[in-house]
Amino acid sequence: MKEEWKKIANFNYEVSDRGRVRKLNGFLMKPWKVRQGYLQVGLSRTGDRFKFLVHRLVAEAFLGNLAGKSFVNHKNLDKSCNDLENLEWVSREENIAHYLKNTPPRPRVQYSEAFKREVANFNGGMLESKRFYNLPTSTVQSWRKIFRDIP
């Protein structure tokens, strides 16, 4: 299938239906991954640099936004797959529902009472306990209140 390119409004760049971005002279931009896992590119205009999420550039160029929805959903949940076929405009509620429907719940860790007592009575401060057992501060604090020095 041939890759289709469209100009990005107000910039001398193009975006493809395969999720690639290039300058008008053909130079491909190298995207980077942001904390949430999305791909981002930096586009320049008159000496200023602007950051854009690639999936939004693809959706705006190829899908438009006739329904006025605010979010671009990755149908296969792969945030680095910015192919046009993988993207759709959705509302906030639709985006959350898609995520919950397609993502398995995280298993909840159950700790024994003996372990909780061990953490609560650890011979060190809060920071040392937290780091040693790799637990959130709030967990260590609550266990210390409940199990501290109780035989």
Side-chain angles (χ1 to χ4, degrees):
M1 188 169 136
K2 186 170 169 43
E3 189 170 16
E4 184 182 346
W5 292 88
K6 288 195 177 182
K7 187 175 183 309
I8 298 170
N10 303 316
F11 287 89
N12 290 324
Y13 296 85
E14 297 176 304
V15 64
S16 83
D17 59 349
R18 297 284 141 232
R20 299 193 311 158
V21 179
R22 70 181 181 189
K23 290 184 179 181
L24 291 180
N25 67 9
F27 178 80
L28 281 174
M29 304 299 293
K30 183 177 180 184
W32 64 90
K33 199 173 273 193
V34 293
R35 184 173 44 153
Q36 299 88 351
Y38 297 105
L39 295 178
Q40 188 173 60
V41 291
L43 307 182
S44 297
R45 181 178 61 204
T46 62
D48 294 324
R49 189 166 166 94
F50 301 87
K51 296 177 185 176
F52 293 95
L53 296 171
V54 175
H55 67 284
R56 291 196 64 90
L57 290 174
V58 173
E60 288 167 2
F62 291 94
L63 297 176
N65 191 356
L66 301 176
K69 298 187 176 183
S70 303
F71 294 83
V72 178
N73 183 42
H74 289 82
K75 295 176 188 176
N76 69 359
L77 300 177
D78 181 358
K79 295 176 183 179
S80 64
C81 179
N82 295 311
D83 288 0
L84 179 59
E85 296 83 28
N86 187 41
L87 302 176
E88 64 183 346
W89 285 103
V90 294
S91 67
R92 182 177 189 275
E93 294 77 18
E94 291 168 330
N95 201 31
I96 292 168
H98 179 263
Y99 175 80
L100 293 175
K101 178 183 173 195
N102 295 291
T103 307
R106 292 186 209 147
R108 187 168 178 173
V109 179
Q110 296 292 327
Y111 296 103
S112 68
E113 193 168 314
F115 178 74
K116 292 176 183 179
R117 286 184 197 286
E118 178 184 327
V119 172
N121 293 301
F122 181 74
N123 240 358
M126 180 66 64
L127 189 58
E128 291 86 8
S129 299
K130 168 187 164 5
R131 287 183 179 161
F132 185 81
Y133 292 103
N134 193 25
L135 292 168
T137 303
S138 58
T139 301
V140 175
Q141 285 175 332
S142 65
W143 291 352
R144 281 183 167 205
K145 286 179 183 175
I146 298 169
F147 297 106
R148 188 79 181 208
D149 300 319
I150 299 175

